[in-house]
Amino acid sequence: MKRPSQLPSADRLRYGADYNPDQWLDQVQVLEEDISLMQRVQATSASIGIFAWTSLEPSPGHYNFAWLDDTMERFAKAGLSVFLATPSGSKPMWLSEQHPEVRRVTAEGRREPSGGRHNHCPTSPVYRSAVARINRQLALRYGKHPALALWHVGNELNGECHCLLCRSAFHAWLQKRYHCLETLNRVWWNSFWNKTITEWTQIPTTDPGNDGLTVDWLRFVNDQHVSFLENEMAPLRELCPHVPCTTNFMGTNRSTNYWQWAGSLDCIANDHYPLPDDRAGCWRKALGTDFIHSLVRGLADGAPWLLMECSPSSVNWSRINKLKRPGVHLQEVLQAVANGADAIHYFQWRKGLGGHEKYHGAVIDHEGSSDSRVFRECAEVGKVLRDLAPVAGLAPERAKVAIIYDWESRWALEASAGPKKAEESDRHNEACLEHFRALRCAGIEVDLIAPNAELAAYRLVVSPALYSLSAETARRLTKFTIAGGAWVATYLTGYVDEHNRCWRGGFPGPNLREVFGLWNEEVDYLFDDENVRIEGALFGPGGSATATDIVEQLNAEGAQTLATLASEFYANRPIVLRNNCGAGNTFYIGARLAEEGCISFYEYLASELDLPRLVLPRGVVRKTRAGADGPVEFLFNYTREEVSVDLGEDTFHCLVDGHACHGKTTLRPYASLVKGCRPASLPPPSPTPLHPTHEEPQLSASPRR
Ligand code: GLA
Ligand code: ZN
């Protein structure tokens, strides 16, 4: 696998936004102002032309590059760089009307009308060649332009197309995988409900009653996106091999197995929009963002990455589009940087006057000037990012503990009736997030890794709800454990193989009964308002925890019982177990633990395994990026309350006002501090931490239209 590490070179952290000059071509003054406003927020770059195909190619084969030439020149002159987009994210009307095959077909067989976006057929040869053609033009014209820093390929590729082209490509994909129908019928268990296939052409693209087909369909769709992406990049790589290519991911998006995409790209970019706090408490939400960033770190294989989209204020698509509270935005930006982001880009630079995203947050509002709260916050972020220049290129810290994140288990669960709730539920993703949060609350750093990742560097591997477990993955995890590692598995482990067929011989499969020293005989599901008490000394004083949602009926077969169920007809059955396995240990948690119990489990484990741990008050987080001249460390208060911490001898600086702190310190709500990178440009320390400030910079208030 190619290592995704070739970020566009820069001697500082990149800062910018999605920029759509093509929407303002009749207002040249606005375009001029954009450049000076970008300079005022200390931007370095912009992603340009993401949805600009028609502006570039108004009719088939007739190009209009004048506006992009001007834009590239303006950027070069101002010392700004361009992440030049290939425009495949939405289709020109002339193309989708002339060639309906480029439009996607729904699962019900309805061809979508022209319009919309992110809705092309990924198989269509017409679309693939139209995309390759415009991309070739862009590469020929701008490949050597001094402003070009990165190819932003397409936009948030995802979704399914059920057209006849996709259907026959699916058949070819299946033939390559299974060679003969006998094998396919066997692995899909097709004697069930008369599903036996007698001709390849009979195979549908969707059949909710066929659990094996559904998983293979999702694999095919994923492969099809990757091959579409490769097709887009071919002319770019041929004509300008020196410019890295990326595409913007969507974190844990359901249908895209990004582990597979990462190897095709030169660097990893992600879009993430943390929504403002809910009543559940902002630190939980912020740890949810850390979870996403950790996944991105894993996708980037430990190299720095790009936050390609976030909002400088609100979005326009959530249920309640709240504004971010003062201090929150800066913290979210720095949180990404602390997790390895070397670039922070917004969606969007300027609000359009029309169109579906006219109310989405932007650096520049409809009013048009720099005289806004959001602009001032963005300018403050720009200053802080400039000051953090020494952080650029530093690798984010690697952990000793890893969680296995597995899209295939999500797909298999989604395709299986029974182990998930009837309403939307994503048990694998939820389990990974809950265990991530619990580990972090116990003071333990965590990486997110692929099921086929190298394990040797880890002391502990946690595989939450690893429902689909191949013999090969089970073998690798067992080998890791025998060699001295610790493996934590949970409820819903090893129910099915890679074809979504249940393992014979008792769960957890395949053949893991011996490794875990237990047999999972059956599963009880709880009502939403129901829970079951668990007892065990590992839960600390009082020795109890709560199980919700899902409770497996385990039989110890050699494992030591650490905790038992304490209510219901299954009282006294083991629910948390530990087993010796070679030089290592396995642990099995057969129930969905409520938060505090899960945290206690990892506290217990940290002391049993002597894991490195940094215990801070709940919601206070410390993150490191490693440098040759010593690490740069970040310290955050994710809560909206003041929190007291003892920094000991360490001196941290507030990233807003430069205030130095050490020893016993009170962190303001949403405080963000740094150690090991006190930039010269910071003002002399002030006597009290001001957080946040909105006094500078001095910005003109004149509207500019
Ligand atoms: C996505 C898209 C952008 C924009 C934003 C709005 O991330 O890539 O084009 O629509 O959402 O939040
Ligand atoms: Zn199609």
Side-chain angles (χ1 to χ4, degrees):
M1 183 177 112
K2 207 166 124 206
R3 302 264 165 203
S5 59
Q6 195 195 336
L7 277 180
S9 63
D11 51 8
R12 54 157 294 187
L13 300 170
R14 302 254 186 194
Y15 186 43
D18 280 15
Y19 177 45
N20 303 305
D22 46 306
Q23 293 173 15
W24 297 88
L25 296 179
D26 57 348
Q27 304 189 46
V28 179
Q29 198 199 337
V30 169
L31 301 177
E32 296 290 346
E33 285 162 11
D34 280 331
I35 299 291
S36 70
L37 290 167
M38 283 181 197
Q39 287 173 323
R40 287 200 209 187
V41 295
Q42 314 213 33
T44 60
S45 38
S47 299
I48 300 178
I50 297 174
F51 299 107
W53 195 337
T54 312
S55 307
L56 294 167
E57 189 180 0
S59 61
H62 294 103
Y63 301 102
N64 169 22
F65 290 117
W67 66 269
L68 189 51
D69 289 351
D70 292 349
T71 308
M72 298 292 287
E73 281 319 301
R74 255 185 237 116
F75 268 62
K77 228 160 75 198
L80 295 165
S81 49
V82 174
F83 297 177
L84 190 54
T86 66
S88 63
S90 64
K91 311 168 291 305
M93 292 303 268
W94 55 255
L95 181 58
S96 56
E97 285 297 305
Q98 233 173 58
H99 298 283
E101 71 159 72
V102 307
R103 293 188 240 142
R104 216 164 256 191
V105 169
T106 64
E108 296 71 40
R110 189 178 57 84
R111 174 128 2 233
E112 290 189 10
S114 287
R117 66 164 182 176
H118 302 163
N119 57 356
H120 61 263
C121 166
T123 304
S124 158
V126 170
Y127 199 59
R128 286 189 177 211
S129 69
V131 166
R133 222 171 35 236
I134 183 74
N135 291 5
R136 176 166 287 274
Q137 292 295 324
L138 289 168
L140 282 170
R141 198 168 183 96
Y142 303 109
K144 298 202 168 61
H145 198 287
L148 177 65
L150 176 76
W151 291 109
H152 180 301
V153 184
N155 196 62
E156 293 192 344
L157 279 170
N158 79 107
E160 301 173 11
C161 175
H162 297 262
C163 77
L164 292 177
L165 293 167
C166 287
R167 181 172 162 142
S168 56
F170 182 41
H171 296 161
W173 185 93
L174 289 168
Q175 280 183 33
K176 198 164 159 217
R177 186 173 172 89
Y178 296 116
H179 309 294
C180 66
L181 285 174
E182 202 193 336
T183 308
L184 175 133
N185 282 320
R186 198 179 57 247
V187 300
W188 285 2
W189 206 256
N190 276 350
S191 46
F192 176 78
W193 285 358
N194 271 299
K195 292 184 188 296
T196 303
I197 304 287
T198 52
E199 296 284 345
W200 291 99
T201 50
Q202 295 163 357
I203 303 172
T205 58
T206 169
D207 178 353
N210 191 331
D211 299 8
L213 179 149
T214 308
V215 169
D216 271 336
W217 167 253
L218 288 167
R219 283 191 186 116
F220 160 76
V221 168
N222 188 62
D223 281 4
Q224 214 56 356
H225 285 308
V226 175
S227 100
F228 182 87
L229 192 60
E230 297 276 2
N231 171 75
E232 281 224 38
M233 294 188 297
L236 313 176
R237 286 184 162 152
E238 178 198 325
L239 296 167
C240 36
H242 54 287
V243 180
C245 291
T246 193
T247 190
N248 44 345
F249 290 172
M250 292 181 284
T252 53
N253 181 55
R254 157 215 171 249
S255 65
T256 42
N257 181 351
Y258 289 134
W259 295 124
Q260 221 176 302
W261 298 43
S264 292
L265 301 165
D266 298 315
C267 53
I268 297 300
N270 192 49
D271 298 347
H272 185 60
Y273 292 85
L275 296 177
D277 310 338
D278 55 16
R279 287 187 208 120
C282 50
W283 63 265
R284 258 187 214 90
K285 198 145 232 171
L287 285 182
T289 292
D290 271 353
F291 175 69
I292 301 286
H293 291 338
S294 300
L295 176 63
V296 180
R297 277 199 286 124
L299 289 163
D301 199 20
W305 48 275
L306 303 96
L307 181 62
M308 196 61 103
E309 290 181 26
C310 63
S311 174
S313 57
S314 67
V315 295
N316 70 335
W317 45 257
S318 75
R319 201 174 65 80
I320 296 176
N321 298 312
K322 287 189 87 61
L323 297 177
K324 293 184 192 178
R325 270 39 198 167
V328 171
H329 177 55
L330 176 67
Q331 180 173 86
E332 286 175 356
V333 164
L334 295 169
Q335 189 183 350
V337 171
N339 274 283
D342 260 12
I344 305 291
H345 267 213
Y346 299 124
F347 179 85
Q348 53 188 337
W349 170 251
R350 184 185 277 274
K351 286 182 185 171
L353 301 182
H356 191 66
E357 297 189 312
K358 62 182 183 289
Y359 295 119
H360 193 289
V363 182
I364 307 293
D365 191 69
H366 301 127
E367 187 266 347
S369 79
S370 56
D371 186 22
S372 69
R373 183 185 64 84
V374 173
F375 188 91
R376 282 188 291 274
E377 281 206 3
C378 291
E380 180 177 72
V381 169
K383 177 177 118 4
V384 170
L385 290 180
R386 183 205 59 201
D387 286 347
L388 288 176
V391 174
L394 304 187
E397 167 189 37
R398 291 252 187 180
K400 289 279 160 219
V401 175
I403 285 181
I404 294 181
Y405 190 87
D406 182 30
W407 268 277
E408 296 227 336
S409 282
R410 289 175 75 184
W411 296 346
L413 269 164
E414 182 182 324
S416 307
K420 63 173 191 293
K421 283 189 183 159
E423 55 294 359
E424 282 281 299
S425 114
D426 197 345
R427 287 195 186 278
H428 175 78
N429 192 64
E430 285 158 8
C432 287
L433 174 58
E434 285 172 9
H435 282 259
F436 176 90
R437 263 201 304 243
L439 278 155
R440 290 284 301 273
C441 287
I444 302 165
E445 270 304 325
V446 198
D447 288 347
L448 261 62
I449 59 169
N452 63 356
E454 181 52 62
L455 304 174
Y458 295 106
R459 305 256 312 272
L460 167 66
V461 172
V462 182
S463 61
L466 196 57
Y467 173 72
S468 168
L469 193 44
S470 68
E472 171 58 14
T473 304
R475 193 192 58 74
R476 293 178 58 255
L477 279 157
T478 304
K479 194 174 150 212
F480 159 80
T481 313
I482 290 172
W487 176 12
V488 173
T490 75
Y491 61 92
L492 289 180
T493 292
Y495 281 34
V496 300
D497 67 11
E498 61 270 43
H499 305 294
N500 213 358
R501 279 181 315 188
C502 288
W503 282 109
R504 269 193 83 195
F507 302 155
N511 303 321
L512 292 176
R513 268 170 87 162
E514 213 181 310
V515 172
F516 285 93
L518 61 90
W519 168 38
N520 168 18
E521 185 177 348
E522 48 180 342
V523 197
D524 192 25
Y525 296 93
L526 306 185
F527 294 120
D528 286 348
D529 59 355
E530 213 185 348
N531 54 54
V532 168
R533 204 175 127 84
I534 297 180
E535 285 173 356
L538 83 156
F539 296 117
S544 79
T546 304
T548 64
D549 197 17
I550 182 163
V551 181
E552 292 178 340
Q553 308 294 296
L554 307 177
N555 302 284
E557 295 180 336
Q560 175 198 351
T561 296
L562 298 178
T564 49
L565 297 165
S567 50
E568 270 294 352
F569 75 91
Y570 34 70
N572 296 322
R573 282 193 92 125
I575 196 67
V576 183
L577 298 98
R578 171 184 188 153
N579 200 31
N580 297 329
C581 178
N585 293 280
T586 57
F587 298 82
Y588 194 93
I589 307 170
R592 185 171 181 176
L593 293 179
E595 189 169 73
E596 291 306 327
C598 204
I599 296 170
S600 304
F601 171 78
Y602 286 111
E603 284 168 346
Y604 152 83
L605 213 60
S607 83
E608 286 294 301
L609 304 176
D610 197 20
L611 295 173
R613 224 180 134 197
L614 183 65
V615 184
L616 292 165
R618 201 66 54 93
V620 175
V621 163
R622 193 163 166 165
K623 280 258 151 206
T624 305
R625 288 184 68 166
D629 308 328
V632 175
E633 290 182 59
F634 294 83
L635 185 75
F636 299 110
N637 174 8
Y638 285 166
T639 79
R640 52 194 145 189
E641 281 90 43
E642 291 191 342
V643 182
S644 303
V645 287
D646 190 350
L647 301 175
E649 297 298 300
D650 292 339
T651 300
F652 278 82
H653 291 96
C654 168
L655 276 159
V656 174
D657 57 31
H659 176 85
C661 18
H662 55 262
K664 288 203 164 63
T665 304
T666 299
L667 300 175
R668 297 284 175 101
Y670 306 117
S672 305
L673 311 180
V674 68
K675 174 183 161 232
C677 174
R678 188 181 183 283
S681 70
L682 282 178
S686 59
T688 47
L690 301 169
H691 204 284
T693 174
H694 293 293
E695 283 160 19
E696 65 93 85
Q698 309 297 309
L699 299 164
S700 135
S702 58
R704 298 170 173 266
R705 261 171 311 216

